[in-house]
Amino acid sequence: MNTTDQAYARIVQLNDERTATSMAKQVKDPESRFDGGVFDDTVGIAQANHVSTVSDLISWISSYVNPDSAHYHSIEVAERINRAVAFLLRRQHKDGTISLGSTNYHSPPDTAFIIVGLLQVHPLMKKDETSAIRPVCEGIETFLRRAVPAMRIGGCHTPNHRWVMTAALGGLHQLFPEEEGLVERAEEWLAEGLDFTEDGEFSERSNGIYNAVNDIMLYYAALYLNRPELLEPVRRNLNMMVYLTHPNGEVVTDYSGRQDFGNKATFVNYFLIYRLMAVKDGNGLFASMSDEAAKAMTHPGSSENQAMAGLLMYPDTQYLNVPRQPLPEQYEVMLNEHHPYKEQREQLKRVGHHGIVQHSAVHSAYGHPVGRYRDGKESATLMAAAPSFFSLRYGAARLLAVKWSTAMTPGIVAMDSLKKEAGSYHMKATLEKGYNGPLPTHARGKDSTWSLMPHQLRPLTHVQTHEVQVDIEHMENGWEFNLKAGEPEDVFTQITFLFSAEGELKGNGLQQTTNPQQFLWKNGDVTYESGQDRMILSGAAQDHTVELIRTDAHPLDCLAISINLLTPFEHRIRLTLEERKE
């Protein structure tokens, strides 16, 4: 490996550090069923899954086979590896699966995550050929062969699981070409069609976790199955992610459909796939993104996307020769602007599952528009079909969300649409609520149990329609919000600005509620400061004194400022950005 590759040197160091710290947590008790596993502090036991023991195992193997590692051909590491593989084999169920632990017992997709990870280090061990590692190769091959039946017939839960299963099936076919049905099963998953928009968004809209999973799994599937067309959504997603990164390296998670929603996440999980695709396409933008991800990396990654194993498995020295392209720091883009999300909403009513996908989610927000504005340290996100419609980073000052809550439905309003016209952003939502009449004669049964009645057949009475709208315009030193709502009259409405708790709020017109971190904004300006950066809100109102709209809730780690409005209304709020003056 070229020693001028700074990313490689950093990841060798990180992987060696992880090897040392995780080996210290390995259970060494022959009487324990967890012997050989790595103790997981978050659950209090060792687990044989892709984010715990197997992830550590892959770090150890990567250190053992790497001549640049401080643990290269270490006898102690070899012993630890053998013990961990024995643990993995004991925890594998008779049907060939493993259990995730936090959920998903006897899980084909979670087994597939492990398979893909082990397939990255198996060739490295075969090539190493030391006697200490030979039993490990045999043990891993045993695990993989036992898993074949589960992959051949197993199902999944989430959209990304399909591509994890596909990658695992393709890799097993390469390793065991005599096993029948693996490619055919992969083709069944692929026949469903790949779920990506023209701009590269996947179904789960998970910029912090599952985009990277989809990307790396489709890369492996393309490689194993000789299907280069599977790389097209990868390219599009990687291009999209360039515009979903804040100045500090965090990615936008404000509209995710998965557990990264609203949480801090960086793009370090994209390190390997950006690097692989930079070499494949000679793409300087991808190379620059991979470089930045390497600088932010503090951990080599989970088993299926392990940076050290990936660099050893695919040691392409051409990466250093890809001309770097500067990353954009000033842009204004609309993502999914032309996606037919309205047509999809209508199809959803007719598809037949009635919004229920067993053990999963519908992800009906897929394809809705997202606006991104970036200028230096200012980074704003505008979004439809999400719990909030606006978020903003200005240096150290973080406005995590602006949300609209109404007593109409009641609860948070997710905007139906987002359009950009003449330099302004326009969002709308239409809410309806009526009352259920008696069941028609033909729908009445002998059973009076409420839960067994065909409520979908009840006629609606007194249906009320409520339209809301927000127009957002970027000004020279901030943003302006024009909020509009019509009939019915006297609908309690609350606009809430959620700021990160590490900052400080100032304002004489703030009234603290029973929640010590929530304030009603009655009058005057409000200032939020963090570090050297400041946001100033103008446009207070208090048309009513409701502290929290029914079914709404604020995150515990936020400072919430709520403006109380009563319909009908048109109200303007100004958000000014400035640096603190010493």
Side-chain angles (χ1 to χ4, degrees), residues 264 396-400 498-504 528 557-559:
K264 283 187 178 182
R398 300 193 302 147
L399 172 58
L400 303 178
L498 296 174
F499 293 96
S500 184
E502 73 265 8
E504 182 182 3
Y528 173 78
D557 56 347
C558 295
L559 299 173

Side-chain angles (χ1 to χ4, degrees), residues 10 23 36 77 92 163 169 209 230 232 253 257 344 365 400 418 475 495 524-525 529 537 563 570:
R10 175 171 174 76
M23 284 198 310
V77 172
Q92 189 175 25
W163 318 137
L169 286 158
I209 302 175
L230 300 182
E232 186 56 28
T253 61
Q344 286 182 349
L400 303 178
L418 166 61
M475 314 297 284
I495 309 299
D525 290 351
E529 295 180 348
L537 283 173
I563 301 155
E570 180 171 351

Side-chain angles (χ1 to χ4, degrees), residues 39-103:
F39 185 83
D40 186 337
D41 296 322
T42 62
V43 296
I45 62 171
Q47 298 188 106
N49 61 41
H50 66 284
V51 294
S52 186
T53 296
V54 178
S55 185
D56 293 321
L57 171 63
I58 289 173
S59 284
W60 302 351
I61 293 172
S62 299
S63 288
Y64 181 86
V65 301
N66 185 6
D68 295 322
S69 168
H71 303 289
Y72 178 58
H73 284 180
S74 161
I75 297 301
E76 181 189 3
V77 172
E79 292 172 350
R80 301 297 190 115
I81 292 170
N82 274 281
R83 199 164 193 157
V85 170
F87 169 73
L88 180 60
L89 288 169
R90 289 198 313 274
R91 302 304 291 175
Q92 189 175 25
H93 304 302
K94 291 181 179 179
D95 60 8
T97 64
I98 59 91
S99 295
L100 176 61
S102 58
T103 183

Side-chain angles (χ1 to χ4, degrees), residues 35-338:
D35 181 58
V38 179
F39 185 83
D40 186 337
D41 296 322
T42 62
V43 296
I45 62 171
Q47 298 188 106
N49 61 41
H50 66 284
V51 294
S52 186
T53 296
V54 178
S55 185
D56 293 321
L57 171 63
I58 289 173
S59 284
W60 302 351
I61 293 172
S62 299
S63 288
Y64 181 86
V65 301
N66 185 6
D68 295 322
S69 168
H71 303 289
Y72 178 58
H73 284 180
S74 161
I75 297 301
E76 181 189 3
V77 172
E79 292 172 350
R80 301 297 190 115
I81 292 170
N82 274 281
R83 199 164 193 157
V85 170
F87 169 73
L88 180 60
L89 288 169
R90 289 198 313 274
R91 302 304 291 175
Q92 189 175 25
H93 304 302
K94 291 181 179 179
D95 60 8
T97 64
I98 59 91
S99 295
L100 176 61
S102 58
T103 183
N104 294 2
Y105 298 89
H106 289 252
S107 169
D110 291 293
T111 306
F113 273 107
I114 292 177
I115 291 169
V116 173
L118 293 178
L119 287 170
Q120 306 317 303
V121 292
H122 179 263
L124 301 175
M125 292 186 294
K126 294 283 281 188
K127 184 179 178 181
D128 186 81
E129 294 184 338
T130 56
S131 58
I133 209 75
R134 204 165 293 134
V136 175
C137 280
E138 295 170 359
I140 286 178
E141 287 177 12
T142 297
F143 178 90
L144 294 172
R145 194 176 287 279
R146 285 181 186 173
V148 166
M151 294 300 100
R152 204 155 37 203
I153 65 170
C156 66
H157 288 161
T158 64
N160 77 83
H161 281 173
R162 296 172 298 168
W163 318 137
V164 180
M165 298 283 285
T166 300
L169 286 158
L172 288 174
H173 171 70
Q174 278 208 344
L175 186 61
F176 306 125
E178 73 280 4
E179 292 284 356
E180 297 180 353
L182 295 171
V183 173
E184 290 78 5
R185 185 64 166 184
E187 294 294 346
E188 286 187 63
W189 289 118
L190 291 172
E192 294 188 0
L194 299 178
D195 55 327
F196 67 102
T197 67
E198 181 180 349
D199 287 325
E201 179 179 277
F202 291 109
S203 291
E204 293 159 288
R205 309 180 98 198
S206 174
N207 301 327
I209 302 175
Y210 293 106
N211 281 3
V213 170
N214 284 320
D215 289 337
I216 199 69
M217 292 301 176
L218 288 172
Y219 181 90
Y220 292 143
L223 181 68
Y224 295 145
L225 298 169
N226 192 26
R227 294 280 298 270
E229 69 274 16
L230 300 182
L231 296 178
E232 186 56 28
V234 178
R235 291 186 180 94
R236 295 191 184 209
N237 183 254
L238 295 180
N239 275 312
M240 182 187 78
M241 287 306 302
V242 171
Y243 300 100
L244 289 165
T245 305
H246 295 302
N248 66 351
E250 292 180 17
V251 299
V252 175
T253 61
D254 306 311
Y255 58 89
S256 173
R258 295 301 305 273
Q259 64 263 39
D260 55 323
F261 168 68
N263 291 323
K264 283 187 178 182
T266 67
F267 60 104
V268 295
N269 289 337
Y270 295 88
F271 161 77
L272 183 58
I273 188 60
Y274 266 124
R275 186 178 177 109
L276 293 171
M277 291 302 294
V279 172
K280 186 167 189 63
D281 292 352
N283 189 311
L285 195 61
F286 290 177
S288 295
M289 287 292 282
S290 184
D291 290 344
E292 292 301 311
K295 294 175 187 176
M297 193 172 288
T298 59
H299 188 285
S302 58
S303 60
E304 75 286 351
N305 198 10
Q306 218 272 8
M308 189 73 261
L311 291 180
L312 295 174
M313 184 68 180
Y314 309 103
D316 199 320
T317 56
Q318 292 304 308
Y319 175 74
L320 297 175
N321 299 326
V322 177
R324 287 349 189 224
Q325 182 177 336
L327 298 177
E329 296 182 354
Q330 186 175 29
Y331 54 79
E332 190 169 9
V333 298
M334 282 287 289
L335 302 173
N336 300 330
E337 187 172 15
H338 304 295

Side-chain angles (χ1 to χ4, degrees), residues 343-355 362 364:
E343 290 84 344
Q344 286 182 349
R345 279 208 302 259
E346 291 304 311
Q347 291 174 9
L348 184 60
K349 299 174 184 177
R350 304 188 297 269
V351 74
H353 55 54
H354 305 294
V362 175
S364 58

